[in-house]
Amino acid sequence: MSSIQQELVNIVGEDYASDRREELFTYSKDLGTSQPLWPEYVVAPKTTDELQAVVRLANETKTPIVPLGGGLTLAGLALPQKGGIIIDLKRMDKILEVNEQGRYIVVEAGISHGKITSYLKKNHPNLMHSEPGAPPAATVGGNLAIHGQGDLAHPYGFNTDMVNGLEVVLPTGDIARFGSCAVGSGWYTMHPLPDIGLFLGWNGATGIITKVSLKLYPCKKFRENNMFVVENEEFVPDVLFEISHLGMAEDLIATSSEIPPMMNRLHYISIINTGDSEEELEFKRHMTFDVQLAKYIRSGVGGIVSLYDERTRPQVSKSADWKKGGGFEYVGAIVPVSFYPECYRRGSEISGRHFIPYTVLGRVIGSCHSMMFSWSYAFNRADDATVKHARDALHETDELVMEINGTIWKPAIFGQKLMLERMDQGALRLMKEVKKILDPNGIMNPGNWEVD
Amino acid sequence: MYELKFDPDLCMACDTQDCLVKCQHMDIDQETARTEILKLADGEDSFVLRDCVTCYACEEYCPNGNHPFYLIVKMQEELGMLPLPDPLVKSGVQVGIPFRGEPVIDEMEGTVLNMGVFSPLLGRVEGSKLFEGLPVISHDSRKMFHYFCQLMYLHYGKTSVINERLDGIIQTLASHGAKEIVHFHDECYGTYTSYAPAFGIEVPFKSIHLFEFLYNRLLELKDEIRPLGYKVVYQRPCSSRLSSDKHPFVAKIFDLIGVEYMDREYKDENAMCCGATILGQKKEGSRVYCAEIQKKNIDDMKKAGGQICVFNCPACMQTLGMPVSKAGIMPLFMSDLCRLAIGEKVG
């Protein structure tokens, strides 16, 4: 047994540290098209103290560490680019506090979104948090590390806009807290203290988030998916704008897909309306369809597909696997809503070039302030040629995002390089300095957001 | 291309004009009705084309078997007056395109069961004594669109799509070799026994209505029937208007299994459409009108004292099942109700 492995065992116990190949195998893979990358160790701390000790060990030995949540980014962001230790945070999953009237929840960052949803449903059914469009195993910390968005994106923005406070283990092993919790006042706000936004969206390259206070929001008794359809993609931005004007939809998503045929070359707009009564829901249906979208229906260029469909959460991941059984990876971009038509057209062209049925989706973020537009590429894991096609399509799409002046969301290493090449020099210098100060030995998820 | 057999002389000689006079969704007097139906027969425009909600009922109201509904739909398409917005039409037309491989054609004999496009509901029939010994044409829900009767496109004003695809569907069904086919959905039954003959499309097998089959099967199992004693209401589907001669089996089945078929306003000939197709129509106010008739229908079920609402059509069930349930009435397929009557459990 190596000395690092022995140290890890000393910290977390032998059940939670391993350098055995069969266990490392699991951690060497990502669900997307990334090639396997092997860690040397995997460790699963239970407490912040244990995590601190692991990070201190890594810093002393200059061993790279990669924090891992649910491992669901698909973009290889938790694969060890330079070997070292994968820190699996899923055991750090306690719910520490719920403040019902203050509408926030304090959790350990390894907790899954599914566990929070389940807990709130059982204990605080009038409260909800923003659940990402990922399987329920996605963790809070992982999602914040990639600037995720969820099913409350339309009214409230990115999930990282919904943070009240953070606790972070720095690359040196020190602990820092941000927000009102930093002055011992509880976990109810990030404001009005000086902004030190150094950890959200960094893919864990500046520190490991250990505790989070998340804002909670009113959870209505009834939730229904109302579906509207248009054929002309040019109408989509206006349809979204009209619905967004009402400020009532909980989630707003446009999607188009070659399979099943009913979605081919059509654009379905999913409008999640909620209410505590039938009267509230009917008012929202009336305002949405009889007022805001009436012009589309009257002129015959838009139509109501369905109303009243009860919707369980989360919704996006349940529709991600139309092809059944295969793999898929997507490029997400944060773009203005007005970009939808071009993103759709050019994305479906890329799919066509790579013999992949096109699938695109745009989720409105913050009252049409932006949109997360995704291009998904399916592949057969057992067929290298289809994996290559998907990988090439992903790279082409990253370049497309840059070309149209979009911003790649949770970019893989390839996309990160494209973004860094175009980044403002001042911002680049600051990123480099921040990284150097926080992580002098360059151990934190190396390869990610790495400025040369 | 197939042509609708419609005889204007029958309308000229008709002394009721029930097709339009009885319409629940348009207020038309007899004189206007005569004028408008003859305009349609002459290929001319009529307000009927814009106001029709495509509920199929005029097919049943016509005392002469002259297919006024098929005529309306045909004219909607010919004059470019489709009732639904274009993207809904495109979406609907594309729904029926098979996309998961070709069907496996097993050779079959005797009488078989065709689930049509509802093979995902196979679990409701398989293992039941009611369907014992009745082979199913296709178990594979991935292949269900190869058995899709296409009649849904009447709601879309798309006779051309039905006529373009129906031959292929009939050939697929016929290629299994069965001489008699029980259709789980009466829209399939209506396709092969009403629509196809009206357009001169040949059907090389005999069709059996599900309710007739269930009734005869229940007679065979009569000793096992335990009267259920429920008060039931029935949601009659649009396609039942194409086989009104089979509608009496509803009452006969209810009688046989000991449930009380409650009287209500929207019963039998005056049945109310579930609203599924009205919801998305481009005519101003369609959404609200749909909600109104659904409320009237469900209020009527409650007023009649219904404990169970029996459905024939899966689309009606999908549309009304939840609101019916919220109103305190249990939604059940007819086949499930019959299963309960012979002591089987229904999931």
Side-chain angles (χ1 to χ4, degrees), chain A residues 180-257:
Chain A
S180 53
C181 63
V183 290
S185 307
W187 291 78
Y188 56 86
T189 185
M190 279 297 273
H191 305 298
L193 299 166
D195 176 23
I196 320 179
L198 302 174
F199 306 95
L200 306 178
W202 272 86
N203 300 350
T206 51
I208 300 175
I209 301 167
T210 48
K211 291 190 181 71
V212 183
S213 171
L214 288 177
K215 292 178 185 173
L216 300 176
Y217 299 90
C219 183
K220 303 280 188 170
K221 284 182 189 161
F222 307 110
R223 171 172 288 98
E224 67 179 29
N225 182 24
N226 298 323
M227 196 73 88
F228 194 73
V229 64
V230 295
E231 181 174 1
N232 186 340
E233 66 270 19
E234 295 291 343
F235 294 146
V236 174
D238 183 60
V239 168
L240 297 174
F241 183 77
E242 291 288 351
I243 301 166
S244 189
H245 176 80
L246 296 171
M248 298 193 303
E250 199 169 83
D251 200 5
L252 196 46
I253 292 172
T255 184
S256 182
S257 177

Side-chain angles (χ1 to χ4, degrees), chain A residues 229-231 259-262 264-266 268 282 285-286 290 297-298 300-305 307 310 322, chain B residues 84-88 90-91 94-95 97-100 279-284 287-288 290-291 294 322 326:
Chain A
V229 64
V230 295
E231 181 174 1
I259 297 174
M262 67 174 283
N264 191 19
R265 303 294 164 194
L266 288 164
Y268 284 73
E282 177 53 24
R285 288 178 210 129
H286 166 68
D290 306 340
I297 299 169
R298 255 198 317 271
V301 297
I304 303 169
V305 179
L307 300 181
E310 292 199 1
W322 271 110
Chain B
L84 293 164
D86 295 343
L88 281 184
K90 180 170 179 175
S91 160
Q94 291 180 177
V95 160
I97 299 173
F99 66 105
R100 295 209 189 274
L279 173 72
Q281 288 177 343
K282 60 186 173 191
K283 188 181 160 192
E284 190 99 33
R287 189 197 72 81
V288 173
C290 171
Q294 287 176 340
M322 188 58 76
K326 282 179 179 168

